[in-house]
Amino acid sequence: MFLQLLDENGTRHASPEFDPLVADLTPQHLLGLYRDMVVVRRIDAEATALQRQGELALWPPLLGQEAAQIGSGRALRDDDFVFSSYREHAVAYTRGVALVDLLRVWRGVTASGWDPHEVGMATPQVIIGAQTLHATGYAMGIKNDGADSVAVTYFGDGAMSEGDVSEAMVFAASFQAPVVFFCQNNQWAISEPVTLQSRVDLADRATGFGIPSLRVDGNDVLAVTAATRAALARARAGEGPTFIEAVTYRMGPHTTADDPTRYRDSAELTEWQGRDPISRLAEYLRAAGVLDHDVDTRIAGEADAVAAELRAGCLALADPDALTIFDNVYAEPHHVLERQRAEYAHYLEGFAE
Amino acid sequence: MSLREFRLPDLGEGLTESDIVAWRISEGDAVELNQIIAEVETAKALVELPSPYTGVVAALHARAGETVSVGDPLVTFAVTPEDAPAVVTEPEDALEPNLVGYGARPEHSGRPVRRARRAPPDVPTHRDQPAPIMAPGERRERPRSTPPVRHLARQLGVDLEQLVGTGGEGLITRLDVEAAAERTRDSLADDAFTDDGPVTRIPIRGVRKHTAAAMVASAFTAPHVTVFHTIDVTRAFELATWVTESGGTKVSFLAIASRAVCLALSGHPELNSRWQQSTQEIVQYGYVNLGIAAATERGLVVPNIKDAGSLDLVGLAAALAELTAEARAGKAAPDRLTGGTFTITNIGVFGVEAGTPILNPGEAGILALGAAQRRPWEFEDGIALRQVMTLSLSFDHRVVDGEQGSRFLAELGNLLQVADEAVLR
Amino acid sequence: MSDLAPGTTTLGKALNRALFRALDDDPKVMVLGEDVGVLGGVYRITDGLQARFGANRVVDTPLAESAIIGTAIGLAFRGYRPVCEIQFDGFVYPAFDQIVSQLARMHARTNGAVTLPITIRIPVGGGIGSAEHHSDSPETLFVHTPGIRVVTAATPQDAHTLLRQAIACDDPVIFFEPKRRYHVKGEVDEEAAGLPMGAARIARPGDQVTLVTFGSLVPTALDAATAAADERISIEVIDLRSLSPIDFATIEASVRRTGHLVVAHEAPQTAGLGAEIAATITERCFTYLEAAPVRVTGHDIVYPPARLERHHVPDLDRILFGVDRVLGRVPARAELA
């Protein structure tokens, strides 16, 4: 299957099964999704520029994956909990993370940009696939509590090869945990194409574990919204886990330290530019008379303002005090560490200037 | 308008440099924030650099094709205050301003130096002089002992290098250290003295401390014998004057004496050696590092002229002049003060005739030159007023026999009495 | 890039050449890892190898560290000589079980019948201003595991020679590459026999303090020795090269002359390699030691964010402070409250 409600030209396709799930989305709602995608793309571009200017250590761009993240992120409830990889900046945005908090970790001034419990989203995971187990465990806790919130885990096509992800699906299926496995298949894991990770559609691997699976056009924000809502509804109704494969494309490099020209064809990039998530929605909204020049200008202005705020916030991020490295290693006092802290403080005081 | 410098950041996880492939701007151009200003190539990728400021390009600091290190200036921008966001400068950034890019920062530029510490080290290094850098073959193992005994030795002022341990395989024991301290104590018996009147207390430190330790080590280890020889040095003084006037270098009697010593030593290697207890060897030097005792403001120092035996008279005189000047100025380099093989001490400058000098540790002979006095002396079968000097030679009787010492001194005396220019040049 | 004198190359390129020579010399050698083939590795260490030797011998693997090692074990059973790459130190833990439970034990548990001549290359250490999990120093975990050898290089020459030796060795070898130093340049003679794989190297002779370190901290230690010379302190720098086994004979001979030992490493202090060296040298050189050995190490903390890592990774000043301590020039640690 391949769920698509809005194709690359902005033409709406009917789906009897999934149309009801997005029937409530008025043109204004859609304009809101459009605005979200424009803004997060701009955040992504600004962060990339900041890295090139030496203000961030690293940035993993989400360029091209806006629909997959905004569509799914906006479908969540406040009391749902997200366990993501390091690329889900747009999901964090939908969870209400402040702009500068998106950058703190990448600037290298802190281990976590926000408090997971305040945001309902774990600190992004760098170890590929590890977060899927955490999400499954969290979902097991929800079930024990008798609540109807959902744990959602985001990961990529490369993660599907890690043992942790298979183990997570084993547990999720066995315990019928209320977890949504949201896989963004952006076709590439650094230089490795998805065909190296799997000989079958990624969605089909989940069914092998007994987890119902949806394969959607990840660049179609409507389809993503519909699929996510369907999965969430199942989980809330006690029907267990769902796997969503959002087929999309990593338009940029793996991170700002990567050079994709070494391993992929520019023709492929051009092809996927034709499937851009934002432009297809723009087409649709223009045809619907909702997106005119004035609205476009307004939204562009909002994006500029966000970028400026992001930049100013980034540049103002100061280095923390040296002795903070000893904080939070343990929740309870630890005498070895306390002594090391005292020694290091003593050492630092000994410098002449 | 203010100037802001943009330096090359690390563009990928630990890179240290990039090549400028092409500039997209020129000096004088107006640029917008994030406008692409250059293409650079790293070890990993071709990267476009977006401008960090809106402003005017004041200067480009590299040419296309050049390699730039992370942290090097790339572009200077002239920006208006509104366009120049506050850059948070940290105390650490004072070392490398504006470098916010990450990666393998160069740890230092130029010679590595350590950051100044507030308080100098509490305890001075346990050498007052730096350790001599020894050649690989020469590097000795340290004397063996245990930490508590080493601590005791430090407290008692005992130098383990001077002891032979009586423990297993030469281990220096607590008893060894206490016995050594005992010997020192007995000979000094400080506690036996009371002061009956006002006294001046001078702390024992620095050069005096080191010299005293050396003296003690030498005097109480090597059996000293001193032999004396009084000679007519008139010819030697005349030679010194003659050579000085005929050449450019000032040649003193000391230079003549030094030359004579070197010549005499070549025939008497036992006077140019040391007793090495630890390996049960007498080490005869194949070269002469001639020490000249010098009284300075800080105390007695004995800098030496390296390989004095290979220098001719004029060369020796020049080396002496340099050495004396250095010693007076307190500027003798560390290796000047170590490695001597034979010493001359000129006590004559103080007006005394003879002495019983103490050997410099590591040497087997030391020659004291007395004052030259005009005295009636036998000269060409008659009596004339001649310049007469007493030579005092102390030697280590473990290494040098009475006969050897006496013969050496006699030969030395003869060289000086005859003062043959052909021989001494 | 820049003009280099002939025979001079970077540490990264020296490794690349070592892999080239190994693949060229022995048809059973294979290279496996994530992004090693088409991309040539995230640090370009395997650049050009797949083009030259083919995708059967230089293999881009799916994203699964445990499987990289586990399948390498199977390949070795079949007679191949795999050289695995784990992309970053912080990513080795999924493979830890295959390394410790399987790779390290196989020779012993088959009574010597099965040999697994596998080399695992791992970029290691910090100082690159990177995100979490990219700057760890897990060497002690592997040194503590009997059955595997652990080596590391600090110079391009050693990188080249040691990697070829590791690949040729019939025991499993973990080869830690100091990623901070991939760009350091030096002379490499590919034909030089070099020291034996287990030997330490005197990087700089000295006679007052023995400073033992390895990998990324060797250049820092050499800088410290240069700066110390200005204070008339003579430091002998020993580059361990082999972490399992450790060349204690070289360290002992040095400490018997200097009487002072400082060990430096990035990894946290507790149960780090410094502890092993301090204990062993204290046992063997007790009667030569002037002072207790001093360790200059990372703190017992999770590796800090990039902007704070300089407070964790030992630098020149911290090493020289350790030298001051061992020489008795500052109060002993016990005096701190």
Side-chain angles (χ1 to χ4, degrees):
Chain A
M1 72 148 328
F2 188 68
L3 176 63
Q4 187 184 62
L5 302 179
L6 195 67
D7 71 17
E8 38 268 35
N9 300 313
T11 307
R12 182 77 169 79
H13 295 269
S15 162
E17 193 188 343
F18 288 92
D19 282 346
L21 286 159
V22 290
D24 65 314
L25 293 180
T26 65
Q28 283 307 315
H29 281 123
L30 293 177
L31 190 63
L33 291 173
Y34 172 78
R35 179 207 163 274
D36 282 344
M37 289 197 286
V38 169
V39 166
V40 298
R41 178 168 286 188
R42 187 61 200 279
I43 289 172
D44 192 67
E46 196 67 25
T48 300
L50 284 165
Q51 195 279 339
R52 292 270 178 265
Q53 289 151 358
E55 301 292 342
L56 295 178
L58 196 68
W59 179 257
L62 56 69
L63 182 66
Q65 297 174 228
E66 296 85 356
Q69 295 188 20
I70 292 296
S72 57
R74 284 295 183 209
L76 304 181
R77 253 172 30 189
D78 284 349
D79 63 340
D80 293 329
F81 207 99
V82 173
F83 292 86
S84 78
S85 83
Y86 45 80
R87 204 183 293 283
E88 275 70 67
H89 320 297
V91 176
Y93 177 80
T94 65
R95 301 303 285 165
V97 172
L99 288 176
V100 72
D101 291 346
L102 292 172
L103 301 184
R104 283 186 201 275
V105 166
W106 305 106
R107 185 148 165 101
V109 295
T110 182
S112 184
W114 60 80
D115 177 345
H117 290 303
E118 275 178 19
V119 173
M121 179 167 175
T123 308
Q125 180 60 239
V126 169
I127 300 298
I128 307 291
Q131 67 274 23
T132 57
L133 284 169
H134 307 163
T136 300
Y138 191 96
M140 288 161 64
I142 292 174
K143 188 168 176 185
N144 277 6
D145 295 342
D148 72 343
S149 54
V150 181
V152 182
T153 179
Y154 290 85
F155 51 97
D157 43 289
M160 288 295 289
S161 297
E162 286 284 8
D164 278 5
V165 176
S166 289
E167 291 181 29
M169 290 198 276
V170 167
F171 270 57
S174 291
F175 293 110
Q176 286 294 284
V179 54
V180 175
F181 291 90
F182 195 98
C183 175
Q184 287 168 81
N185 176 2
N186 66 12
Q187 312 301 319
W188 291 94
I190 307 187
S191 73
E192 297 186 341
V194 63
T195 49
L196 180 59
Q197 315 295 352
S198 180
R199 288 299 166 126
V200 299
D201 286 341
L202 297 178
D204 291 344
R205 303 240 310 240
T207 55
F209 285 97
I211 297 177
S213 208
L214 294 166
R215 191 161 187 271
V216 314
D217 180 346
N219 285 4
D220 170 1
V221 73
L222 273 182
V224 169
T225 305
T228 308
R229 284 177 168 184
L232 291 168
R234 275 178 40 83
R236 296 193 208 289
E239 289 166 25
T242 308
F243 187 99
I244 298 173
E245 180 191 350
V247 181
T248 178
Y249 192 75
R250 195 196 75 202
M251 299 287 284
H254 165 67
T255 66
T256 42
D258 178 41
D259 177 12
T261 63
R262 287 177 67 96
Y263 53 80
R264 57 184 202 190
D265 211 308
S266 56
E268 187 184 85
L269 194 61
T270 311
E271 195 190 320
W272 277 92
Q273 276 164 348
R275 303 189 192 125
D276 187 87
I278 296 179
S279 58
R280 69 171 76 179
L281 185 58
E283 287 290 317
Y284 178 81
L285 290 172
R286 274 191 209 108
V290 175
L291 182 63
D292 60 21
H293 177 74
D294 288 341
V295 175
D296 228 348
T297 307
R298 176 176 60 79
I299 290 177
E302 283 180 38
D304 284 346
V306 163
E309 188 187 327
L310 190 74
R311 170 169 291 270
C314 177
L315 297 183
L317 283 176
D319 284 359
D321 177 66
L323 295 177
T324 58
I325 60 175
F326 296 96
D327 294 344
N328 299 318
V329 180
Y330 295 96
E332 294 177 20
H334 193 277
H335 69 88
V336 171
L337 205 52
E338 276 160 22
R339 189 184 155 108
Q340 285 182 358
R341 184 183 209 279
E343 281 169 3
Y344 193 65
H346 180 73
Y347 165 76
L348 288 179
E349 280 159 22
F351 283 110
E353 85 273 350
Chain B
M1 280 299 216
S2 60
L3 294 179
R4 287 295 160 89
E5 197 171 60
F6 175 48
R7 296 180 175 221
L8 180 69
D10 170 46
L11 295 166
E13 288 179 355
L15 302 178
T16 54
E17 59 189 27
S18 302
D19 289 343
I20 312 285
V21 173
W23 286 106
R24 301 275 196 80
I25 44 148
S26 313
E27 289 183 6
D29 284 356
V31 291
E32 293 283 312
L33 176 67
N34 291 339
Q35 178 181 337
I36 303 302
I37 54 173
E39 265 175 38
V40 300
E41 183 164 27
T42 68
K44 288 195 187 184
L46 193 63
V47 172
E48 289 179 333
L49 290 187
S51 173
Y53 302 108
T54 296
V56 174
V57 178
L60 301 180
H61 299 291
R63 289 188 310 280
E66 251 188 81
T67 303
V68 181
S69 297
V70 169
D72 281 356
L74 269 186
V75 185
T76 299
F77 295 92
V79 298
T80 55
E82 315 82 74
D83 287 323
V87 175
V88 180
T89 47
E90 303 294 326
E92 322 301 326
D93 282 347
L95 296 171
E96 291 189 24
N98 293 340
L99 180 63
V100 179
Y102 306 65
R105 287 167 65 161
E107 278 151 90
H108 61 89
S109 53
R111 187 181 173 80
V113 289
R114 82 187 282 194
R115 274 179 70 191
R117 299 287 293 171
R118 203 193 299 268
D122 292 22
V123 174
T125 54
H126 56 275
R127 302 174 203 249
D128 286 314
Q129 290 175 7
I133 306 296
M134 292 180 265
E138 272 187 35
R139 290 148 95 203
R140 307 183 317 255
E141 294 186 356
R142 313 176 86 245
R144 291 178 51 238
S145 189
T146 61
V149 174
R150 290 184 192 278
H151 185 66
L152 177 68
R154 273 198 296 275
Q155 281 182 330
L156 296 179
V158 173
D159 181 1
L160 296 184
E161 300 267 354
Q162 305 299 327
L163 299 188
V164 178
T166 61
E169 290 168 21
L171 187 78
I172 296 170
T173 66
R174 179 172 290 267
L175 288 176
D176 294 331
V177 168
E178 285 170 348
E182 194 68 34
R183 287 195 291 276
T184 316
R185 262 202 299 275
D186 283 345
S187 57
L188 295 179
D190 291 331
D191 294 342
F193 302 114
T194 53
D195 301 323
D196 283 347
V199 296
T200 306
R201 294 189 176 279
I202 302 158
I204 299 168
R205 59 157 70 109
V207 175
R208 176 159 297 279
K209 179 175 176 180
H210 177 82
T211 309
M215 293 288 180
V216 166
S218 177
F220 296 105
T221 319
H224 283 55
V225 168
T226 310
V227 290
F228 305 92
H229 191 26
T230 306
I231 54 172
D232 177 353
V233 294
T234 314
R235 283 244 241 286
F237 271 97
E238 284 168 356
L239 177 63
T241 309
W242 156 247
V243 174
T244 301
E245 282 168 359
S246 68
T249 322
K250 179 172 189 312
V251 172
S252 61
F253 176 82
L254 181 58
I256 305 274
S258 300
R259 184 78 181 114
V261 161
C262 290
L263 288 169
L265 283 176
S266 63
H268 296 269
E270 60 279 357
L271 268 299
N272 191 42
S273 63
R274 73 167 185 272
W275 179 269
Q276 184 151 292
Q277 179 73 10
S278 57
T279 58
Q280 292 292 290
E281 291 169 324
I282 293 168
V283 179
Q284 285 188 348
Y285 301 106
Y287 51 90
V288 180
N289 285 355
L290 186 63
I292 308 289
T296 71
E297 281 171 356
R298 287 156 65 232
L300 174 69
V301 293
V302 189
N304 60 77
I305 298 169
K306 305 293 183 197
D307 202 15
S310 69
L311 298 174
D312 66 5
L313 180 59
V314 171
L316 207 44
L320 272 171
E322 193 190 316
L323 180 146
T324 316
E326 267 179 26
R328 289 224 185 90
K331 284 198 163 72
D335 73 333
R336 263 278 201 228
L337 300 172
T338 55
T341 67
F342 187 94
T343 299
I344 297 178
T345 173
N346 190 0
I347 58 176
V349 300
F350 307 112
V352 298
E353 295 168 7
T356 54
I358 295 180
L359 293 164
N360 212 7
E363 299 175 16
I366 179 168
L367 175 75
L369 303 173
Q373 299 168 330
R374 280 184 74 73
R375 286 211 230 154
W377 204 252
E378 195 252 325
F379 180 65
E380 287 173 356
D381 285 338
I383 295 182
L385 284 179
R386 304 292 286 175
Q387 298 281 80
V388 173
M389 177 186 287
T390 301
L391 307 174
S392 311
L393 175 76
S394 294
F395 54 85
D396 181 344
H397 214 324
R398 297 174 297 182
V399 183
V400 180
D401 301 339
E403 180 187 345
Q404 291 168 328
S406 302
R407 282 190 188 282
F408 169 80
L409 190 58
E411 187 180 313
L412 177 65
N414 199 48
L415 282 169
L416 288 172
Q417 286 204 130
V418 172
D420 184 340
E421 189 195 344
V423 170
L424 291 172
R425 269 280 190 183
Chain C
M1 283 180 56
S2 9
D3 291 319
L4 297 174
T8 305
T9 188
T10 65
L11 196 144
K13 292 207 170 69
L15 292 167
N16 181 260
R17 284 292 309 163
L19 291 167
F20 182 95
R21 295 295 299 265
L23 285 158
D24 207 32
D25 290 346
D26 181 353
K28 290 303 196 182
V29 170
M30 289 177 62
V31 169
L32 304 105
E34 295 160 18
D35 304 291
V36 297
V38 174
L39 182 63
V42 290
Y43 281 106
R44 307 290 182 266
I45 308 301
T46 53
D47 194 25
L49 296 179
Q50 190 182 72
R52 170 73 176 77
F53 295 101
N56 279 352
R57 294 187 67 199
V58 180
V59 181
D60 277 322
T61 65
L63 216 171
E65 288 76 13
S66 184
I68 291 171
I69 305 306
T71 55
I73 290 174
L75 283 164
F77 258 93
R78 185 68 189 175
Y80 286 92
R81 193 169 280 260
V83 182
C84 303
E85 176 180 301
I86 298 293
Q87 200 164 82
F88 281 93
D89 40 74
F91 303 163
V92 75
Y93 306 111
F96 197 68
D97 177 52
Q98 282 289 332
I99 293 171
V100 166
S101 304
Q102 304 302 329
L103 183 62
R105 297 176 200 231
M106 198 65 75
H107 194 67
R109 64 189 287 271
T110 59
N111 293 325
V114 175
T115 320
L116 297 179
I118 296 174
T119 303
I120 304 175
R121 293 179 38 245
I122 310 180
V124 77
I128 60 164
S130 188
E132 58 175 341
H133 304 295
H134 292 69
S135 302
D136 278 15
S137 289
E139 67 273 358
T140 307
L141 302 173
F142 301 101
V143 169
H144 191 63
T145 304
I148 44 179
R149 295 180 189 266
V150 183
V151 298
T152 186
T155 64
Q157 178 68 62
D158 273 350
H160 181 87
T161 313
L162 269 172
L163 182 53
R164 289 173 69 182
Q165 287 171 329
I167 295 170
C169 178
D170 282 346
D171 283 321
V173 180
I174 301 203
F175 188 93
F176 281 113
E177 303 171 354
K179 67 176 89 75
R180 168 158 56 142
R181 308 292 185 196
Y182 273 144
H183 308 284
V184 158
K185 295 178 186 135
E187 294 227 349
V188 176
D189 175 0
E190 291 190 12
E191 311 314 318
L195 295 168
M197 195 170 83
R201 172 181 74 101
I202 310 276
R204 175 184 171 131
D207 65 354
Q208 255 173 296
V209 176
T210 302
L211 173 56
V212 176
T213 188
F214 52 90
S216 64
L217 287 189
V218 172
T220 314
L222 290 171
D223 284 346
T226 301
D230 293 342
E231 290 177 63
R232 298 179 349 190
I233 297 173
S234 165
I235 296 179
E236 176 150 285
V237 178
I238 296 182
D239 172 5
L240 277 181
R241 296 165 83 253
S242 176
L243 308 184
S244 174
I246 293 173
D247 177 3
F248 284 111
T250 299
I251 306 174
E252 280 176 65
S254 176
V255 172
R256 278 200 289 270
R257 279 184 281 99
T258 66
H260 299 89
L261 175 67
V262 175
V263 186
H265 56 66
E266 286 190 28
Q269 179 170 91
T270 296
L273 221 59
E276 175 64 33
I277 294 170
T280 305
I281 293 301
T282 302
E283 283 170 24
R284 300 196 197 183
C285 297
F286 190 70
T287 56
Y288 296 89
L289 286 172
E290 192 65 42
V294 164
R295 296 171 289 162
V296 179
T297 68
H299 312 290
D300 286 330
I301 60 173
V302 174
Y303 197 92
R307 299 281 228 139
L308 289 167
E309 71 178 339
R310 68 188 185 282
H311 293 293
H312 178 68
V313 178
D315 60 10
L316 179 151
D317 285 294
R318 273 223 278 148
I319 288 177
L320 289 183
F321 189 69
V323 168
D324 282 346
R325 276 165 39 211
V326 83
L327 290 175
R329 299 169 98 207
V330 293
R333 294 165 71 154
E335 292 177 29
L336 289 171

